[in-house]
Amino acid sequence: MILNVNGSRHEVEAGTRTLLEVLRDDLGLVGAKEGCGIGMCGACTVLVDGKPISGCLTLAEQVPGKEILTIESLEKNGQLHPVQQAFIDERAFQCAYCTPGFILSAVALLNENPNPSEDDIREYLSGNLCRCGSYQNILKAVVEAGKRLR
Amino acid sequence: MIGESVPMLDSVARVMGTVDYMINLRLPKMLFGKIVRSQAPHAKSLKVDVTNAMRIPGVVAILTGEDLGANAFYGVAIKDQGVVAVDRVRYVGEPIAAIAAESLDAAEQAAVLIDIEYHELPAVFDAQDAIQAGAPNLHEKFPNNIFKHAKLRHGDMDAAFAEADEIFEDTFTSPVAQQASLEPHVSAAQWDGEHLTIWTASQAPFMVRKSLSEIFGIAPEAVRVIVPSLGGGYGGKGHIRIEPLVAAMARKTNGRPVKFVLSRAEEFVTVTKHAASITLKTGVKRDGTFTARQATLYWNGGAYADASPMLVPAGMVRAVGPYRIPAVHVDSYGVYTNLPPAGAYRGAMSSQTTWAYESQMDIIARKMGWDPFEFRMKNLFVSGEHFATGEELHDVHFVECLEVSAKGLGVPSPLTPLPKGEGQGMRVGRGYGVMMKSTVATSKSQARLKLKDDGTVTLYTSTVEMGQGGHTTMAQITAETLGVPLRAIKIIGPDTAITPFDSTTSASRSTSMMGNAVIAACGTMKKKLFELGSPLLETPVDGLRTENGFVVADEISISFGDILKRNDLNTVEESGEYSTSFGIDPETGQGVATPHWHQGAGAAEVEVDTETGRITILKYSAAAFAGRVVNPRMAQLQNDGNVIFGLGPTLMEEIVYDGGQPINPNLADYSIPSIRDIPAELISICIESGEGEMHGIGEMTLPPVAPAIANAIEDAVGVRIKDLPITAEKILRALREKSQR
Ligand code: FES
Ligand code: FES
């Protein structure tokens, strides 16, 4: 089957494997990671047609023909995406295991709603867990990125 | 550089998802490992038949107890845990066999074909049940299941209790919980003859090295432990975890590497937070002072002693609290049960003990009619006083921690009464918690610096970067002390083949211990540069200083690189070491428990819905004493993280077992705090002191969270919860009981 990942077409033999497995093991896109395996932590978040989904719950065979974006697509020509830059500026990570998932969810949120309230952000990011407890700075980073993107 | 909030050195990699976590490691010809675990909590006469499993195509080797030598048992002080089970299993989830295969699929297929037979034995899961006469026994050497009894004896208890006007006795409990780093335990191992290389997500590479060298009977130098950045540790990757099993598996694969990645469910049976039951008997006088405290602690160590022989005595010291109490006796028991082995959990042992002593502070104050804040202020230790171990306290700032955290709530004074809440059944309350925690008494850190003739500096350190920013901190200390720009510094390690010794990255010790080792290495490096530079600058050594990568005399200067070149040197290497060796008497607990005390406090304002029991944390303000802060924004982030992490065990975290079988070993049924759980207002402050001793801050603001919230709940609705976690159900039940009284 053909998957459209980060703007390129990839032919893969996915079988019954998850999108996360195919991205990591076949395409070497390791920014998304398994944290819980059951859709609870968001460490495996990728964007499918602009919406954040759990790569661990999505079978690769569900997504041919859709536009899949991973964290690896955000940086362009050495330029970080404004959300990535805001995460650095606001110190929005510690171990950073959760960070790619948070950043992709935030990108999707800001695409849908360029000026979210703090409650909107809390609601939208509630499917991403950060065990290091960086939430407070993540909130600030998303607010800041929103400003920069507007 | 010290005191500057530089971003983490590898920030760009962190936001791009390119950090090389263990989970990404791929080695040539690498095999995939899978562990087969016990379904029984306690059984003997274990028989394992691998015949059918070996037939699965792709299976390369299977490890069972039969492969193990006599030394294949490990543990920090008591070597009771087999690399895999031998003859006996003692908890659900205990490894019985392991498979190495060409693919994970093959390993998983084989796993279900391993035939296991055993004879089930009665099991015991609660520490206080386990010490009763006739309880099932786990290890013959410890007939009453108590593997450690730590004692503190200070003062005459009978006399001191006789002086008390009022005696309080309360028991506080904490359940089993799990560290739940998002990155699981991951290790890979490869043998080359009698040399072992292990890549592992560990907080303690040198402990792993020592343990593996003992298990396999090879020199420590024959074991190479490499640790990349961790996706969180929180104590769960401290000490020895899956490394012995992974290394033993790799010994059977003819030199091919094998990698194990634990599933989330396996995480829950790999290491846990000690369940604890803590009884405090405390005597007070009507003038608001203490006379005595007797603390009795039962720690559920699980089926193997693991690190508990070290942690149970630490828990003893951490159980007393930061208050002036003339007579103190503590009995701290480590007990075997048929649960997975317990280990350090962020704020190790202090979470459980602070829950007890800070909850009891409010119970006492309310009963005696004192204000809880004032009662604390009146009794908190100040520098120069003596702790129950007999040691003199230096650089202690408990009063300041409490004051600063209280101020953070934004009320004019902690004594200002709170409006009791608006709306149907909504009640607001305020509460405090203060914590006093020891760090490791005896430990050592070494650092090595390599200066190259291009002016770059490499710091070799075995401090693990697990998200705390340890490497960034060390680079900042190097930059400041050596006088080089931050960008000239590169960090390598941990890799026990090339980075020098460090005891462990835990107990919030790195900034102070490794920090001082780095300072020492910088000192010798500077001395060397001055000696080499003095003739070139025609200035005596004592007229030289360093700045921005240059040795500077009055009017002239020369770069570090040029000093090397002019002396025909490509590189210069210098090392530094810092160690502490304190300790307490095992019979009396007298001595020096810690090089310095960790100090933190918290103040909470909560709203309780009396109809549903639901708790909302309106405001939380935390303060930690940090001595000298290396990176203020990172320190603050870590303090925030402590509070947020601490909300987990306070409000939601508990592994529930049914006959030793965990029934919620996944992140759907075992909740950890999400962004929706954080307080609407969260403040955390690092308190600095002029003296400039660097303290760790990895845990200080965590242990006060639970009691501060419980105290705020009592302030709001008059009920006292003594058993963690504080759930809406428990509050509702307590409210009903109260209204029926
Ligand atoms: S791994 Fe997919 S949501 Fe946790
Ligand atoms: S930064 Fe460690 S889990 Fe989020």
Side-chain angles (χ1 to χ4, degrees), chain A residues 87-119:
Chain A
F87 266 63
I88 295 181
D89 296 342
E90 296 300 331
R91 312 291 191 272
F93 49 82
Q94 295 173 63
C95 81
Y97 211 75
C98 66
T99 307
F102 269 104
I103 289 176
L104 286 171
S105 293
V107 167
L109 164 64
L110 294 172
N111 279 339
E112 280 173 37
N113 176 0
N115 194 4
S117 69
E118 219 184 275
D119 279 346

mmCIF file of all heavy atoms in Angstrom, chain A residues 87-119:
data_model
loop_
_atom_site.group_PDB
_atom_site.id
_atom_site.type_symbol
_atom_site.label_atom_id
_atom_site.label_comp_id
_atom_site.label_asym_id
_atom_site.label_seq_id
_atom_site.Cartn_x
_atom_site.Cartn_y
_atom_site.Cartn_z
ATOM 1 N N PHE A 87 8.148 26.128 22.211
ATOM 2 C CA PHE A 87 8.419 25.113 23.243
ATOM 3 C C PHE A 87 9.820 25.303 23.829
ATOM 4 O O PHE A 87 10.027 25.112 25.027
ATOM 5 C CB PHE A 87 8.253 23.686 22.676
ATOM 6 C CG PHE A 87 6.877 23.119 22.899
ATOM 7 C CD1 PHE A 87 5.764 23.719 22.328
ATOM 8 C CD2 PHE A 87 6.678 21.993 23.692
ATOM 9 C CE1 PHE A 87 4.480 23.206 22.540
ATOM 10 C CE2 PHE A 87 5.404 21.472 23.915
ATOM 11 C CZ PHE A 87 4.305 22.075 23.342
ATOM 12 N N ILE A 88 10.787 25.678 22.988
ATOM 13 C CA ILE A 88 12.130 25.948 23.523
ATOM 14 C C ILE A 88 12.115 27.224 24.352
ATOM 15 O O ILE A 88 12.593 27.256 25.494
ATOM 16 C CB ILE A 88 13.167 26.076 22.389
ATOM 17 C CG1 ILE A 88 13.309 24.745 21.650
ATOM 18 C CG2 ILE A 88 14.522 26.531 22.946
ATOM 19 C CD1 ILE A 88 14.322 24.760 20.521
ATOM 20 N N ASP A 89 11.512 28.270 23.808
ATOM 21 C CA ASP A 89 11.556 29.560 24.495
ATOM 22 C C ASP A 89 10.858 29.516 25.841
ATOM 23 O O ASP A 89 11.256 30.200 26.778
ATOM 24 C CB ASP A 89 10.922 30.650 23.611
ATOM 25 C CG ASP A 89 11.710 30.857 22.331
ATOM 26 O OD1 ASP A 89 12.884 30.428 22.287
ATOM 27 O OD2 ASP A 89 11.154 31.428 21.358
ATOM 28 N N GLU A 90 9.808 28.721 25.930
ATOM 29 C CA GLU A 90 9.063 28.645 27.197
ATOM 30 C C GLU A 90 9.505 27.478 28.066
ATOM 31 O O GLU A 90 8.901 27.198 29.090
ATOM 32 C CB GLU A 90 7.551 28.552 26.922
ATOM 33 C CG GLU A 90 6.952 29.770 26.240
ATOM 34 C CD GLU A 90 7.121 31.049 27.049
ATOM 35 O OE1 GLU A 90 7.183 30.974 28.290
ATOM 36 O OE2 GLU A 90 7.204 32.127 26.428
ATOM 37 N N ARG A 91 10.544 26.763 27.643
ATOM 38 C CA ARG A 91 11.061 25.617 28.431
ATOM 39 C C ARG A 91 9.930 24.616 28.697
ATOM 40 O O ARG A 91 9.668 24.270 29.854
ATOM 41 C CB ARG A 91 11.649 26.062 29.770
ATOM 42 C CG ARG A 91 12.605 27.227 29.707
ATOM 43 C CD ARG A 91 13.903 26.819 29.002
ATOM 44 N NE ARG A 91 14.903 27.848 29.161
ATOM 45 C CZ ARG A 91 15.052 28.893 28.339
ATOM 46 N NH1 ARG A 91 14.245 29.044 27.303
ATOM 47 N NH2 ARG A 91 16.012 29.769 28.548
ATOM 48 N N ALA A 92 9.308 24.178 27.611
ATOM 49 C CA ALA A 92 8.090 23.387 27.769
ATOM 50 C C ALA A 92 8.349 21.875 27.772
ATOM 51 O O ALA A 92 7.473 21.094 27.411
ATOM 52 C CB ALA A 92 7.097 23.757 26.682
ATOM 53 N N PHE A 93 9.545 21.457 28.157
ATOM 54 C CA PHE A 93 9.830 20.016 28.208
ATOM 55 C C PHE A 93 10.955 19.756 29.183
ATOM 56 O O PHE A 93 11.734 20.642 29.502
ATOM 57 C CB PHE A 93 10.242 19.492 26.824
ATOM 58 C CG PHE A 93 11.298 20.341 26.172
ATOM 59 C CD1 PHE A 93 12.635 20.173 26.490
ATOM 60 C CD2 PHE A 93 10.947 21.338 25.267
ATOM 61 C CE1 PHE A 93 13.609 20.972 25.911
ATOM 62 C CE2 PHE A 93 11.925 22.144 24.682
ATOM 63 C CZ PHE A 93 13.247 21.959 25.011
ATOM 64 N N GLN A 94 10.979 18.523 29.675
ATOM 65 C CA GLN A 94 12.120 18.051 30.464
ATOM 66 C C GLN A 94 12.706 16.849 29.715
ATOM 67 O O GLN A 94 13.536 17.024 28.845
ATOM 68 C CB GLN A 94 11.683 17.760 31.898
ATOM 69 C CG GLN A 94 11.242 19.073 32.579
ATOM 70 C CD GLN A 94 10.622 18.888 33.941
ATOM 71 O OE1 GLN A 94 11.267 18.413 34.864
ATOM 72 N NE2 GLN A 94 9.362 19.269 34.085
ATOM 73 N N CYS A 95 12.193 15.645 29.980
ATOM 74 C CA CYS A 95 12.770 14.496 29.265
ATOM 75 C C CYS A 95 12.404 14.510 27.791
ATOM 76 O O CYS A 95 13.059 13.880 26.979
ATOM 77 C CB CYS A 95 12.342 13.183 29.913
ATOM 78 S SG CYS A 95 10.695 12.610 29.433
ATOM 79 N N ALA A 96 11.329 15.209 27.443
ATOM 80 C CA ALA A 96 10.923 15.417 26.050
ATOM 81 C C ALA A 96 10.364 14.187 25.353
ATOM 82 O O ALA A 96 10.142 14.197 24.147
ATOM 83 C CB ALA A 96 12.064 16.022 25.225
ATOM 84 N N TYR A 97 10.112 13.134 26.109
ATOM 85 C CA TYR A 97 9.521 11.945 25.492
ATOM 86 C C TYR A 97 8.138 12.262 24.936
ATOM 87 O O TYR A 97 7.717 11.727 23.927
ATOM 88 C CB TYR A 97 9.422 10.837 26.537
ATOM 89 C CG TYR A 97 9.546 9.447 25.975
ATOM 90 C CD1 TYR A 97 10.788 8.958 25.579
ATOM 91 C CD2 TYR A 97 8.443 8.625 25.852
ATOM 92 C CE1 TYR A 97 10.922 7.680 25.076
ATOM 93 C CE2 TYR A 97 8.571 7.336 25.344
ATOM 94 C CZ TYR A 97 9.813 6.873 24.955
ATOM 95 O OH TYR A 97 9.946 5.609 24.453
ATOM 96 N N CYS A 98 7.449 13.150 25.626
ATOM 97 C CA CYS A 98 6.082 13.512 25.247
ATOM 98 C C CYS A 98 6.035 14.633 24.221
ATOM 99 O O CYS A 98 4.975 14.935 23.675
ATOM 100 C CB CYS A 98 5.324 13.978 26.487
ATOM 101 S SG CYS A 98 6.004 15.528 27.162
ATOM 102 N N THR A 99 7.171 15.311 24.014
ATOM 103 C CA THR A 99 7.169 16.601 23.317
ATOM 104 C C THR A 99 6.675 16.547 21.873
ATOM 105 O O THR A 99 5.847 17.383 21.479
ATOM 106 C CB THR A 99 8.576 17.230 23.415
ATOM 107 O OG1 THR A 99 8.952 17.256 24.799
ATOM 108 C CG2 THR A 99 8.604 18.641 22.864
ATOM 109 N N PRO A 100 7.152 15.610 21.048
ATOM 110 C CA PRO A 100 6.642 15.599 19.674
ATOM 111 C C PRO A 100 5.111 15.486 19.628
ATOM 112 O O PRO A 100 4.464 16.171 18.829
ATOM 113 C CB PRO A 100 7.317 14.370 19.057
ATOM 114 C CG PRO A 100 8.591 14.233 19.831
ATOM 115 C CD PRO A 100 8.226 14.617 21.245
ATOM 116 N N GLY A 101 4.548 14.677 20.503
ATOM 117 C CA GLY A 101 3.092 14.518 20.533
ATOM 118 C C GLY A 101 2.401 15.815 20.915
ATOM 119 O O GLY A 101 1.406 16.223 20.294
ATOM 120 N N PHE A 102 2.919 16.471 21.936
ATOM 121 C CA PHE A 102 2.336 17.749 22.349
ATOM 122 C C PHE A 102 2.439 18.783 21.231
ATOM 123 O O PHE A 102 1.498 19.539 20.977
ATOM 124 C CB PHE A 102 3.046 18.291 23.598
ATOM 125 C CG PHE A 102 2.406 17.861 24.882
ATOM 126 C CD1 PHE A 102 2.966 16.868 25.658
ATOM 127 C CD2 PHE A 102 1.225 18.458 25.317
ATOM 128 C CE1 PHE A 102 2.376 16.469 26.855
ATOM 129 C CE2 PHE A 102 0.632 18.073 26.516
ATOM 130 C CZ PHE A 102 1.210 17.076 27.279
ATOM 131 N N ILE A 103 3.590 18.831 20.592
ATOM 132 C CA ILE A 103 3.784 19.847 19.556
ATOM 133 C C ILE A 103 2.804 19.617 18.403
ATOM 134 O O ILE A 103 2.160 20.555 17.922
ATOM 135 C CB ILE A 103 5.261 19.860 19.075
ATOM 136 C CG1 ILE A 103 6.135 20.450 20.195
ATOM 137 C CG2 ILE A 103 5.417 20.649 17.776
ATOM 138 C CD1 ILE A 103 7.621 20.449 19.915
ATOM 139 N N LEU A 104 2.652 18.360 17.993
ATOM 140 C CA LEU A 104 1.724 18.095 16.882
ATOM 141 C C LEU A 104 0.283 18.405 17.284
ATOM 142 O O LEU A 104 -0.482 18.975 16.493
ATOM 143 C CB LEU A 104 1.854 16.648 16.401
ATOM 144 C CG LEU A 104 3.124 16.370 15.591
ATOM 145 C CD1 LEU A 104 3.278 14.872 15.348
ATOM 146 C CD2 LEU A 104 3.122 17.125 14.253
ATOM 147 N N SER A 105 -0.096 18.063 18.512
ATOM 148 C CA SER A 105 -1.452 18.404 18.950
ATOM 149 C C SER A 105 -1.639 19.916 18.960
ATOM 150 O O SER A 105 -2.691 20.426 18.571
ATOM 151 C CB SER A 105 -1.731 17.848 20.348
ATOM 152 O OG SER A 105 -1.760 16.445 20.314
ATOM 153 N N ALA A 106 -0.609 20.626 19.399
ATOM 154 C CA ALA A 106 -0.705 22.087 19.451
ATOM 155 C C ALA A 106 -0.783 22.679 18.052
ATOM 156 O O ALA A 106 -1.543 23.631 17.808
ATOM 157 C CB ALA A 106 0.498 22.664 20.200
ATOM 158 N N VAL A 107 -0.038 22.112 17.120
ATOM 159 C CA VAL A 107 -0.107 22.595 15.734
ATOM 160 C C VAL A 107 -1.532 22.431 15.211
ATOM 161 O O VAL A 107 -2.115 23.347 14.608
ATOM 162 C CB VAL A 107 0.907 21.836 14.844
ATOM 163 C CG1 VAL A 107 0.640 22.076 13.371
ATOM 164 C CG2 VAL A 107 2.340 22.238 15.209
ATOM 165 N N ALA A 108 -2.110 21.256 15.466
ATOM 166 C CA ALA A 108 -3.476 21.010 14.989
ATOM 167 C C ALA A 108 -4.463 21.970 15.648
ATOM 168 O O ALA A 108 -5.340 22.531 14.988
ATOM 169 C CB ALA A 108 -3.870 19.561 15.279
ATOM 170 N N LEU A 109 -4.301 22.179 16.941
ATOM 171 C CA LEU A 109 -5.191 23.098 17.656
ATOM 172 C C LEU A 109 -5.119 24.494 17.047
ATOM 173 O O LEU A 109 -6.147 25.116 16.757
ATOM 174 C CB LEU A 109 -4.805 23.148 19.142
ATOM 175 C CG LEU A 109 -5.360 24.326 19.959
ATOM 176 C CD1 LEU A 109 -6.883 24.272 20.037
ATOM 177 C CD2 LEU A 109 -4.775 24.344 21.373
ATOM 178 N N LEU A 110 -3.904 24.975 16.848
ATOM 179 C CA LEU A 110 -3.751 26.353 16.364
ATOM 180 C C LEU A 110 -4.209 26.496 14.914
ATOM 181 O O LEU A 110 -4.598 27.587 14.491
ATOM 182 C CB LEU A 110 -2.304 26.822 16.538
ATOM 183 C CG LEU A 110 -1.861 26.958 18.009
ATOM 184 C CD1 LEU A 110 -0.368 27.237 18.114
ATOM 185 C CD2 LEU A 110 -2.663 28.037 18.740
ATOM 186 N N ASN A 111 -4.184 25.403 14.160
ATOM 187 C CA ASN A 111 -4.766 25.454 12.816
ATOM 188 C C ASN A 111 -6.281 25.605 12.887
ATOM 189 O O ASN A 111 -6.883 26.353 12.134
ATOM 190 C CB ASN A 111 -4.436 24.183 12.031
ATOM 191 C CG ASN A 111 -3.039 24.258 11.439
ATOM 192 O OD1 ASN A 111 -2.492 25.357 11.273
ATOM 193 N ND2 ASN A 111 -2.456 23.111 11.154
ATOM 194 N N GLU A 112 -6.871 24.863 13.830
ATOM 195 C CA GLU A 112 -8.333 24.919 13.955
ATOM 196 C C GLU A 112 -8.784 26.207 14.594
ATOM 197 O O GLU A 112 -9.844 26.740 14.269
ATOM 198 C CB GLU A 112 -8.824 23.761 14.848
ATOM 199 C CG GLU A 112 -8.911 22.434 14.146
ATOM 200 C CD GLU A 112 -9.235 21.318 15.156
ATOM 201 O OE1 GLU A 112 -10.008 21.559 16.096
ATOM 202 O OE2 GLU A 112 -8.689 20.214 14.978
ATOM 203 N N ASN A 113 -8.015 26.655 15.575
ATOM 204 C CA ASN A 113 -8.435 27.776 16.406
ATOM 205 C C ASN A 113 -7.212 28.630 16.722
ATOM 206 O O ASN A 113 -6.493 28.347 17.673
ATOM 207 C CB ASN A 113 -9.072 27.211 17.696
ATOM 208 C CG ASN A 113 -9.464 28.304 18.663
ATOM 209 O OD1 ASN A 113 -9.263 29.492 18.385
ATOM 210 N ND2 ASN A 113 -10.003 27.920 19.797
ATOM 211 N N PRO A 114 -6.966 29.645 15.902
ATOM 212 C CA PRO A 114 -5.728 30.420 16.044
ATOM 213 C C PRO A 114 -5.624 31.177 17.370
ATOM 214 O O PRO A 114 -4.541 31.579 17.745
ATOM 215 C CB PRO A 114 -5.796 31.415 14.885
ATOM 216 C CG PRO A 114 -6.828 30.901 13.961
ATOM 217 C CD PRO A 114 -7.787 30.099 14.775
ATOM 218 N N ASN A 115 -6.728 31.346 18.051
ATOM 219 C CA ASN A 115 -6.665 32.141 19.277
ATOM 220 C C ASN A 115 -7.385 31.414 20.429
ATOM 221 O O ASN A 115 -8.398 31.867 20.937
ATOM 222 C CB ASN A 115 -7.302 33.511 19.014
ATOM 223 C CG ASN A 115 -6.960 34.489 20.121
ATOM 224 O OD1 ASN A 115 -6.200 34.162 21.041
ATOM 225 N ND2 ASN A 115 -7.533 35.676 20.043
ATOM 226 N N PRO A 116 -6.832 30.271 20.835
ATOM 227 C CA PRO A 116 -7.540 29.471 21.834
ATOM 228 C C PRO A 116 -7.416 30.069 23.234
ATOM 229 O O PRO A 116 -6.411 30.701 23.549
ATOM 230 C CB PRO A 116 -6.820 28.117 21.782
ATOM 231 C CG PRO A 116 -5.438 28.450 21.323
ATOM 232 C CD PRO A 116 -5.543 29.659 20.447
ATOM 233 N N SER A 117 -8.432 29.870 24.039
ATOM 234 C CA SER A 117 -8.349 30.277 25.446
ATOM 235 C C SER A 117 -7.537 29.227 26.198
ATOM 236 O O SER A 117 -7.279 28.132 25.688
ATOM 237 C CB SER A 117 -9.746 30.353 26.044
ATOM 238 O OG SER A 117 -10.279 29.042 26.140
ATOM 239 N N GLU A 118 -7.171 29.543 27.441
ATOM 240 C CA GLU A 118 -6.424 28.562 28.216
ATOM 241 C C GLU A 118 -7.250 27.289 28.406
ATOM 242 O O GLU A 118 -6.710 26.182 28.368
ATOM 243 C CB GLU A 118 -6.025 29.163 29.556
ATOM 244 C CG GLU A 118 -4.624 28.736 29.937
ATOM 245 C CD GLU A 118 -4.201 29.229 31.299
ATOM 246 O OE1 GLU A 118 -3.724 30.370 31.362
ATOM 247 O OE2 GLU A 118 -4.360 28.474 32.274
ATOM 248 N N ASP A 119 -8.543 27.449 28.600
ATOM 249 C CA ASP A 119 -9.405 26.271 28.733
ATOM 250 C C ASP A 119 -9.435 25.438 27.461
ATOM 251 O O ASP A 119 -9.431 24.205 27.512
ATOM 252 C CB ASP A 119 -10.833 26.688 29.104
ATOM 253 C CG ASP A 119 -10.958 26.974 30.597
ATOM 254 O OD1 ASP A 119 -10.033 26.587 31.348
ATOM 255 O OD2 ASP A 119 -11.964 27.597 31.003
#
